[in-house]
Amino acid sequence: MNHKSITIALAGNPNSGKTTIFNCITGTRQKVGNWPGVTVEKKEGTVSKYGYNLKIIDLPGTYSLTPFSVEEIIARNYVLEECPDVVIVIIDASNLERSLYLATQLREIDCKVIFALNMADVARARGLKIDADKLSELLDLPVVFTVGNKNKDIDILLQKAIELAESKSEIPQKRKVKYSKDIENSIAKLQSFIEKKIAVKFPYNTRWMVIKLLEDDRILKEHIVQKTGNNSQDIIQEAQALRKKLVDRFDEEPEIVMTDERYGFIAGIIKEVLTTSTKNRIDISRNIDLVLTHRFIGFPIFIFFIWAMFQLTFSLGAYPMEWIGIGVDGISALLESFLSESLLKDLVINGIIAGVGSVIIFLPNILILFFCIALFEDTGYMSRAAFLMDKIMHLIGLHGKSFIPMLMGFGCNVPAIMTTRTLESKKDRILTILITPFMSCSAKLPVYIILTGTFFSAKAGTVIFAIYLFGVIAAVVSGRLFRSTLLRGADAPFVMELPPYRAPMLKSVLIHMWDRGKMFLKKMGGVILIGSVVIWFLSAFPRNIQYSVDYAAEIVGVNVLYETKIKVDAKVDDRSCMQSIEEERDTAIRKIKLAQDAEKMEKSFMGHIGKKLAPLFAPLGIDWRGGVALLTGFVAKEIVVSTMGILYAVEEEESDAFQKAIISSGMTPLSALSMMLFVLLYLPCFATIAAIKRETGSLKWMFFSIAYTTSLAWVVAFSVYQGGRLIGLN
Ligand code: GDP
Ligand code: MG
């Protein structure tokens, strides 16, 4: 078949995507060589499409067509002399202004031009909106959006290019750069001069030639001399005379004036076709940053946000927490009444539901915390917080960025450790992971509340604050220590990116929140489930315990005692009196059951382990029961309290009884303090350990973290307890 041939040249700035689009069009059918006489690469390809033989040329990338560099000369000469049927100007749409300069110059040469607004994806991502129809109308040429590296809309571009090549219409002359009056006058004069003077037909349009002569274009002058011989001197002289006039008029070389005017023309186009939300946003962002990252004001505002976040997390979270608690209790009670007494029932209620329930109750807090953090991230405030904290974090040898995981650590260490992925340097990441567990997570709070409530009632708040602070200090000191030993390395300077502030989109915030919440649920769910079953097993076995007291007989005794009491008092026939007797009886029975539970626990595997470990905890002022409670905290810190509740044979809700029981167990304010410090510092929970393993990718760091935190906890608790005793506290 004899197809018609069309030559298409691709012009554009370097990196605008010419070669990418060239490859899209030609595929493998391309020939790579050099432009004659120079080492600039020339790519040419042919392809048959839409019934045409297309010859595609990838011109060298240039910013302009002033003949200063080899590339510019090649590109210009090709367009001028080879007269391709169409020139596709590949425009970097994300850099419209710079790209349009070359495009405008190409437009001045008489050739058919079509614009490809490439990098349309980048432009969109930067918030740039280009009105292609308007641009097309203003310059009177076809405009197509493309995404070269995705091969998007390249076919449309090609079709339009062929259409343009085939169209018989004149190349539009109107929508070109119009220069100021003096220049246009000079152009007109020189144009008529040349048209009168020379019979030789130049391959390029006269207006363009005149403009270049007024710009004193060296290459063009050479061409004219070559083509017209003697006549050329007249033309060049006339051009020089006009140039001189223009220099007098503008006090500047005409080429500079004309360049300025081209940019003015471009600025006008840009104003018409480009709307940018970015520029505005950056200005607004800058103003907001004047306040939010201000040296003095920024910090209190930051503290306020953090405070507000914790307030929201704990006070707002308290409601759904209560509902879930009621739900879990309800399920528990339901199963209690429906299932018949068996080992399985015990496992389900006291193992699985108690264990998983105690964790799921924290889901609302976690979700609210993640919601706030997602909000900080999506608005762009998080990087400002990191920026503010940068100086302080350098005390540990870390960047401000590491502050984010540490902050999240106050909520839950698992997602906190997952956030360290945002840190570029591996050493920074490991260092941050190692110190994050010292940020006292929310699950440890119930332990502090109970112990401070018992022993430091008046100063409970201060003591809890001091413990949190101590955690931060432990993190700072450990950080410094690791940085100067295990994880040596300068904290390389880096530029903190401050992206423009954005209004958060609820949907994306919710998605971020849920993504993290899901991870929490998955990790915690699986790990807690296993852990709960293990703890349940350790405390439920062995089954055949020789109790020191016959609890069953005691319960029968109580029942009998109260039955007679009721019979006696029934004569009085006082409803309320009877009710109080019944309550009294139930309390007595509950006490017996709790005592039985305590003895069961003492004689269980867990109790045995606790007693074995007792010598380890004794120097810290913690008895075997405390030791067992701490051990169960390995699964999740909130279990510490419930274990204590079982071991001290009280019900959690009866805080009075709990306090009495703890005090009667021989615990003192000093040993309570020692225990709280131990809880603060000692080994992270199961889920956190799993996260550490995953994020460091090494068992070595996981075991190191376990060993380091636990030994530090022991040493600190030991020092506080023994030191306190030395100076006569107890
Ligand atoms: P040339 O210098 O004009 O030949 O540009 P190239 O074709 O070599 O492209 C420069 C870079 O831009 C390459 O990494 C391309 O993958 C990339 N690129 C090309 N077109 C697009 C586009 O439309 N969008 C994006 N995001 N990248 C592109
Ligand atoms: Mg290229």
Side-chain angles (χ1 to χ4, degrees):
M1 249 194 291
N2 214 352
H3 289 321
K4 191 177 172 193
S5 290
I6 290 179
T7 306
I8 299 174
L10 304 180
N13 293 170
N15 284 317
S16 57
K18 283 187 317 305
T19 307
T20 309
I21 290 180
F22 175 80
N23 291 338
C24 285
I25 299 175
T26 60
T28 52
R29 285 154 303 220
Q30 41 179 273
K31 206 170 72 197
V32 182
N34 278 344
W35 293 91
V38 287
T39 52
V40 177
E41 193 182 78
K42 179 183 188 181
K43 282 183 140 192
E44 225 182 285
T46 47
V47 62
S48 293
K49 251 190 180 165
Y50 311 116
Y52 292 91
N53 280 328
L54 304 174
K55 184 174 157 198
I56 319 283
I57 314 285
D58 186 14
L59 294 176
T62 62
Y63 290 107
S64 112
L65 290 179
T66 42
F68 291 135
S69 69
V70 198
E71 285 82 5
E72 285 169 344
I73 294 169
I74 292 171
R76 190 173 99 173
N77 283 351
Y78 183 84
V79 176
L80 283 173
E81 278 152 26
E82 306 293 322
C83 295
D85 295 301
V86 179
V87 177
I88 299 181
V89 188
I90 315 283
I91 289 175
D92 176 354
S94 67
N95 230 317
L96 195 58
E97 185 161 5
R98 197 178 63 188
S99 310
L100 277 181
Y101 190 70
L102 174 72
T104 318
Q105 287 193 315
L106 274 169
R107 203 54 188 69
E108 286 189 311
I109 302 175
D110 259 353
C111 59
K112 290 179 171 175
V113 172
I114 172 169
F115 279 6
L117 292 177
N118 195 38
M119 311 264 179
D121 53 335
V122 182
R124 199 171 315 121
R126 293 204 189 143
L128 303 171
K129 241 198 215 121
I130 300 170
D131 186 342
D133 295 338
K134 194 74 175 274
L135 181 62
S136 168
E137 190 193 318
L138 284 177
L139 291 174
D140 202 359
L141 44 74
V143 174
V144 179
F145 279 109
T146 58
V147 181
N149 59 345
K150 299 265 160 64
N151 202 350
K152 195 163 167 261
D153 296 338
I154 306 293
D155 283 337
I156 298 177
L157 176 67
L158 209 53
Q159 282 163 13
K160 289 242 162 137
I162 294 168
E163 210 174 279
L164 181 63
E166 285 291 77
S167 74
K168 294 281 177 300
S169 65
E170 284 284 295
I171 296 163
Q173 296 296 321
K174 275 188 228 139
R175 305 283 164 70
K176 290 184 180 177
V177 182
K178 225 163 160 13
Y179 298 95
S180 53
K181 224 171 105 199
D182 295 285
I183 292 177
E184 284 293 341
N185 283 345
S186 304
I187 291 173
K189 266 187 203 155
L190 193 55
Q191 209 165 338
S192 63
F193 181 84
I194 289 173
E195 275 157 7
K196 265 185 266 164
K197 208 68 183 179
I198 318 169
V200 189
K201 198 90 181 90
F202 284 97
Y204 7 96
N205 87 25
T206 338
R207 183 180 160 91
W208 180 80
M209 203 168 86
V210 167
I211 290 168
K212 289 297 135 181
L213 280 173
L214 290 177
E215 284 185 340
D216 206 20
D217 187 295
R218 176 175 57 88
I219 306 260
L220 183 74
K221 282 196 296 192
E222 282 168 17
H223 275 256
I224 292 176
V225 171
Q226 273 171 22
K227 295 238 159 126
T228 60
N230 287 338
N231 271 344
S232 63
Q233 286 317 310
D234 293 348
I235 299 172
I236 289 168
Q237 262 170 22
E238 177 69 15
Q240 289 305 331
L242 287 167
R243 260 179 69 78
K244 211 161 167 281
K245 269 192 204 157
L246 287 174
V247 172
D248 283 347
R249 162 75 184 75
F250 291 102
D251 207 13
E252 196 103 65
E253 302 292 333
E255 53 268 33
I256 293 176
V257 179
M258 288 158 95
T259 302
D260 279 352
E261 293 188 356
R262 266 183 220 120
Y263 273 115
F265 174 74
I266 291 167
I269 297 174
I270 299 271
K271 246 211 167 78
E272 293 276 348
V273 302
L274 186 71
T275 40
T276 153
S277 41
T278 320
K279 199 165 176 298
N280 244 335
R281 248 175 35 205
I282 288 172
D283 286 346
I284 295 169
S285 288
R286 213 170 277 147
N287 287 332
I288 298 176
D289 272 343
L290 284 182
V291 179
L292 290 188
T293 60
H294 187 271
R295 257 189 305 166
F296 305 117
I297 312 168
F299 217 76
I301 294 178
F302 169 65
I303 303 273
F304 169 78
F305 281 144
I306 300 303
W307 175 83
M309 178 174 84
F310 278 100
Q311 276 300 311
L312 206 65
T313 302
F314 291 111
S315 54
L316 193 69
Y319 299 100
M321 195 170 176
E322 207 184 310
W323 304 330
I324 293 181
I326 292 170
V328 170
D329 287 349
I331 293 173
S332 209
L334 213 66
L335 290 173
E336 180 77 53
S337 56
F338 273 108
L339 294 179
S340 56
E341 214 58 51
S342 72
L343 198 57
L344 183 71
K345 175 180 176 177
D346 196 27
L347 169 65
V348 170
I349 293 175
N350 297 321
I352 295 171
I353 296 191
V356 175
S358 69
V359 175
I360 219 153
I361 224 169
F362 284 89
L363 185 65
N365 302 45
I366 300 274
L367 286 183
I368 295 173
L369 189 69
F370 288 161
F371 181 85
C372 294
I373 285 168
L375 207 60
F376 286 163
E377 281 178 336
D378 284 15
T379 51
Y381 184 68
M382 200 54 125
S383 18
R384 272 75 185 182
F387 182 81
L388 277 172
M389 287 307 291
D390 202 42
K391 268 220 178 70
I392 295 172
M393 294 301 289
H394 274 288
L395 290 177
I396 324 177
L398 281 173
H399 293 302
K401 268 192 180 176
S402 293
F403 174 72
I404 295 164
M406 290 176 69
L407 178 66
M408 290 176 70
F410 284 121
C412 175
N413 280 204
V414 176
I417 284 169
M418 286 173 174
T419 330
T420 57
R421 274 181 216 174
T422 54
L423 305 174
E424 288 91 16
S425 141
K426 178 144 196 223
K427 278 185 182 172
D428 287 1
R429 211 154 55 220
I430 291 175
L431 181 48
T432 310
I433 288 173
L434 289 179
I435 63 176
T436 297
F438 293 137
M439 304 291 111
S440 188
C441 79
S442 58
K444 294 175 183 173
L445 193 59
V447 184
Y448 308 149
I449 291 175
I450 290 203
L451 290 180
T452 52
T454 309
F455 295 101
F456 304 93
S457 53
K459 299 188 207 83
T462 317
V463 172
I464 291 180
F465 180 77
I467 285 171
Y468 271 82
L469 191 66
F470 191 84
V472 176
I473 293 170
V476 172
V477 172
S478 304
R480 282 222 66 99
L481 182 72
F482 295 151
R483 185 51 106 190
S484 54
T485 54
L486 293 172
L487 296 161
R488 209 177 301 224
D491 28 355
F494 84 117
V495 179
M496 186 90 66
E497 295 153 34
L498 295 179
Y501 286 102
R502 284 166 304 231
M505 291 205 335
L506 184 65
K507 193 174 153 199
S508 111
V509 171
L510 289 179
I511 287 172
H512 281 156
M513 176 190 87
W514 180 240
D515 274 352
R516 294 219 180 94
K518 210 167 55 188
M519 283 195 297
F520 169 82
L521 268 188
K522 259 195 206 151
K523 277 274 150 219
M524 297 294 264
V527 163
I528 287 285
L529 193 66
I530 297 167
S532 310
V533 171
V534 170
I535 287 194
W536 169 83
F537 176 81
L538 289 178
S539 44
F541 284 86
R543 300 297 284 177
N544 51 346
I545 292 171
Q546 291 291 318
Y547 289 110
S548 58
V549 184
D550 191 347
Y551 293 104
E554 275 198 5
I555 290 173
V556 172
V558 168
N559 272 330
V560 171
L561 180 71
Y562 278 90
E563 233 154 79
T564 50
K565 234 185 177 178
I566 287 170
K567 264 184 205 146
V568 172
D569 291 355
K571 289 173 190 148
V572 184
D573 198 22
D574 183 343
R575 265 265 169 86
S576 66
C577 175
M578 216 151 79
Q579 239 166 22
S580 76
I581 290 172
E582 270 170 10
E583 264 164 33
E584 219 173 282
R585 179 196 62 193
D586 291 347
T587 314
I589 291 175
R590 208 158 46 225
K591 256 193 191 136
I592 296 168
K593 280 191 172 157
L594 284 169
Q596 182 181 14
D597 280 351
E599 191 175 348
K600 191 170 123 194
M601 187 66 109
E602 190 178 346
K603 293 191 168 158
S604 69
F605 289 131
M606 190 62 98
H608 288 301
I609 296 172
K611 293 218 161 143
K612 284 259 158 57
L613 290 178
L616 219 52
F617 289 112
L620 315 181
I622 301 171
D623 70 357
W624 73 268
R625 285 173 284 204
V628 169
L630 290 174
L631 216 57
T632 57
F634 177 48
V635 172
K637 298 294 180 254
E638 47 271 58
I639 297 180
V640 172
V641 169
S642 53
T643 310
M644 282 168 77
I646 297 172
L647 291 180
Y648 292 108
V650 282
E651 283 177 298
E652 272 174 70
E653 302 87 59
E654 288 180 46
S655 57
D656 251 17
F658 202 175
Q659 287 174 2
K660 281 183 211 137
I662 297 177
I663 293 171
S664 70
S665 80
M667 203 178 239
T668 63
L670 188 61
S671 57
L673 189 63
S674 153
M675 181 155 176
M676 285 190 287
L677 286 172
F678 196 87
V679 168
L680 167 73
L681 300 172
Y682 87 130
L683 91 167
C685 69
F686 218 88
T688 303
I689 287 170
I692 293 176
K693 158 77 181 58
R694 242 208 1 214
E695 299 301 316
T696 58
S698 106
L699 280 173
K700 187 187 90 182
W701 285 118
M702 184 190 89
F703 284 121
F704 176 79
S705 174
I706 295 173
Y708 178 77
T709 52
T710 311
S711 2
L712 183 69
W714 197 88
V715 170
V716 168
F718 179 83
S719 315
V720 166
Y721 184 68
Q722 298 300 339
R725 278 165 49 114
L726 273 183
I727 58 169
L729 299 173
N730 58 52

